[in-house]
Amino acid sequence: MIENEGYLINQVKNHDKVEDAWVILDGEVYDITNFLSGHPGGMEILIEHLGTDIQEVFMEHLHSETAYNMLQRYHIGSLKGYRQVGPTTLEQIRKLKLKNGADNKSTVSGNSSNNNNNNDKLVFIDVKKPMVPQLKLLEGETYLKWIHSQTGLEEIIIFDRAWMEKFTRWPWWYIFILWVPIIVSAFGYSITREQSNVVVSSTTFLFGLFFWSFIEYILHRFIFHIKTCSYWGNFFHFFIHGIHHLTPFDSTRLTFPPMFSVLLGYGAWKLFLQFPDNLQITGLPWALFGGIACGYMLYDTVHYYFHHGEIDWLPAIFKKMKSNHLNHHYKDDNKNYGVTSPVFDYVFGTI
């Protein structure tokens, strides 16, 4: 996008529609048209402020420095004749952080010499070049600071070899081709066993569906957000979750690659084979397996909607869940771990 030397305020006011959305912050002009559907608070909250100065509402809703940094990617120019009066928005965000003593993930600058040294390392990372060869430059905790300071990139290159890069991108809908036959087969098998009962199997399937939300919460909180400080720890985190936090808008990297999904499915299948024979003949292990697998498939579906969908007719609860998940990305990654359900966020106090 080519930046203009300066815009008049009346020019900005004309860009107040969903399909042509501009805003002003600290005298700078931003075209946020492509970001509206991904706004954590929903598109609706932004519509009434299009074509205007958003500093007051930006601070009113306590946006993080991550959010501020993301906005800079939509910068298209400056407001002609603007003079800053008082502290800038970024200065206010940092002042509030210090006042509240919050450990804001998005802040990449600080007063200590250690922070300054870490910041010097961050500038060597070129997001337009392959990431894997550059991971070694991010020593210890600097890696996680970099991940969160860059949240919201549209896309990245992972490998320096084109053939390897191809295996990192998949259409999100492949999950239906892979998992629907597995889910149907597992449930079908469960209700045809010698001592099976359709009602009991169906109840077990629904329990498995619910149980997935617990598995999802544990994985997201304690595995996907593991604190790493070694090269191999950073490497592991980058592939299981770091990529997604860097590029939440990249729909081709929203789901696990098929090869990993197949390995997970195979591992789960082998595990469920270990259930004793007196349970196997009831079919309950496979009803449970089908329910958990269905939960995983729904997780990927809902996750895609949160990042790439804007469906007006969905119940308000889904819009709230979407807002919670996007807040996890752009506001505080220590909260809102649940994707398909907020139940365990409420149970464990991470809502």
Side-chain angles (χ1 to χ4, degrees), residues 324-341:
N324 287 346
H325 182 66
L326 295 180
N327 279 334
H328 169 80
H329 275 275
Y330 309 128
K331 194 170 184 179
D332 188 351
D333 72 321
N334 294 308
K335 293 182 178 180
N336 297 304
Y337 295 105
V339 177
T340 52
S341 169

Side-chain angles (χ1 to χ4, degrees), residues 220-238:
H220 196 178
R221 182 174 181 179
F222 297 107
I223 303 300
F224 292 174
H225 282 268
I226 189 173
K227 304 300 180 185
T228 64
C229 57
S230 67
Y231 170 76
W232 287 110
N234 293 343
F235 186 89
F236 172 74
H237 178 271
F238 181 73

Side-chain angles (χ1 to χ4, degrees), residues 265-308:
Y266 178 75
W269 176 69
K270 294 290 286 185
L271 176 65
F272 277 75
L273 283 175
Q274 305 309 310
F275 277 79
D277 291 342
N278 62 325
L279 280 178
Q280 293 286 354
I281 60 176
T282 67
L284 294 183
W286 301 104
L288 181 64
F289 176 85
I292 292 173
C294 186
Y296 171 72
M297 185 181 70
L298 291 178
Y299 157 78
D300 270 339
T301 305
V302 171
H303 197 199
Y304 180 85
Y305 158 70
F306 287 168
H307 285 286
H308 301 281

Side-chain angles (χ1 to χ4, degrees), residues 315-328:
I317 182 62
F318 284 99
K319 294 183 179 180
K320 176 61 177 173
M321 288 165 60
K322 175 178 179 177
S323 179
N324 287 346
H325 182 66
L326 295 180
N327 279 334
H328 169 80

Side-chain angles (χ1 to χ4, degrees), residues 102-128:
D103 183 20
N104 190 317
K105 69 175 185 179
S106 64
T107 302
V108 295
S109 61
N111 296 322
S112 69
S113 59
N114 184 56
N115 277 337
N116 289 333
N117 289 336
N118 285 341
N119 292 339
D120 290 340
K121 294 173 183 176
L122 297 183
V123 301
F124 289 107
I125 305 301
D126 187 343
V127 296
K128 295 181 180 179

Side-chain angles (χ1 to χ4, degrees), residues 132-145:
V132 169
Q134 299 185 81
L135 287 179
K136 61 180 179 293
L137 301 176
L138 296 166
E139 301 172 0
E141 297 178 357
T142 306
Y143 161 78
L144 287 176
K145 181 172 287 190

Side-chain angles (χ1 to χ4, degrees), residues 187 189-192 195-207 282-284 286-288:
F187 184 72
Y189 182 72
S190 76
I191 62 176
T192 56
Q195 297 181 19
S196 64
N197 180 290
V198 174
V199 174
V200 176
S201 287
S202 298
T203 303
T204 304
F205 181 92
L206 292 175
F207 174 77
T282 67
L284 294 183
W286 301 104
L288 181 64

Side-chain angles (χ1 to χ4, degrees), residues 8-244:
L8 295 174
I9 193 166
N10 286 335
Q11 287 179 282
V12 179
K13 286 181 179 179
N14 290 330
H15 299 271
D16 60 351
K17 300 176 180 61
V18 170
E19 62 273 12
D20 183 19
W22 292 13
V23 293
I24 302 167
L25 185 65
D26 295 332
E28 302 302 322
V29 182
Y30 304 89
D31 181 351
I32 61 170
T33 307
N34 294 329
F35 177 67
L36 288 179
S37 63
H39 183 250
M43 182 188 298
E44 296 84 0
I45 197 173
L46 289 174
I47 291 176
E48 63 181 293
H49 301 288
L50 299 181
T52 69
D53 190 306
I54 61 169
Q55 184 181 50
E56 184 177 342
V57 69
F58 196 91
M59 294 307 301
E60 180 183 336
H61 288 273
L62 299 176
H63 284 77
S64 66
E65 193 168 336
T66 294
Y68 179 87
N69 290 339
M70 284 187 62
L71 183 61
Q72 306 315 304
R73 299 185 184 118
Y74 301 95
H75 184 261
I76 57 172
S78 302
L79 203 61
K80 283 185 178 179
Y82 178 84
R83 289 187 179 182
Q84 182 69 39
V85 177
T88 65
T89 301
L90 183 57
E91 289 169 344
Q92 291 184 61
I93 291 172
R94 289 176 174 172
K95 184 177 180 180
L96 280 173
K97 173 184 174 291
L98 292 173
K99 180 180 178 181
N100 296 333
D103 183 20
N104 190 317
K105 69 175 185 179
S106 64
T107 302
V108 295
S109 61
N111 296 322
S112 69
S113 59
N114 184 56
N115 277 337
N116 289 333
N117 289 336
N118 285 341
N119 292 339
D120 290 340
K121 294 173 183 176
L122 297 183
V123 301
F124 289 107
I125 305 301
D126 187 343
V127 296
K128 295 181 180 179
K129 294 181 179 180
M131 291 290 102
V132 169
Q134 299 185 81
L135 287 179
K136 61 180 179 293
L137 301 176
L138 296 166
E139 301 172 0
E141 297 178 357
T142 306
Y143 161 78
L144 287 176
K145 181 172 287 190
W146 174 75
I147 286 286
H148 296 313
S149 72
Q150 297 296 319
T151 290
L153 294 174
E154 292 188 6
E155 63 176 30
I156 56 172
I157 303 170
I158 296 177
F159 294 106
D160 53 3
R161 301 192 195 294
W163 69 269
M164 296 177 71
E165 188 73 4
K166 289 180 180 178
F167 285 96
T168 68
R169 296 184 180 279
W170 300 92
W172 73 276
W173 44 259
Y174 89 82
I175 57 174
F176 300 112
I177 298 173
L178 176 63
W179 287 106
V180 168
I182 293 174
I183 294 165
V184 172
S185 297
F187 184 72
Y189 182 72
S190 76
I191 62 176
T192 56
R193 300 298 289 156
E194 302 162 37
Q195 297 181 19
S196 64
N197 180 290
V198 174
V199 174
V200 176
S201 287
S202 298
T203 303
T204 304
F205 181 92
L206 292 175
F207 174 77
L209 193 63
F210 173 76
F211 188 60
W212 162 257
S213 63
F214 177 70
I215 297 173
E216 167 199 307
Y217 180 89
I218 296 300
L219 286 173
H220 196 178
R221 182 174 181 179
F222 297 107
I223 303 300
F224 292 174
H225 282 268
I226 189 173
K227 304 300 180 185
T228 64
C229 57
S230 67
Y231 170 76
W232 287 110
N234 293 343
F235 186 89
F236 172 74
H237 178 271
F238 181 73
F239 278 95
I240 64 168
H241 205 53
I243 293 171
H244 177 55

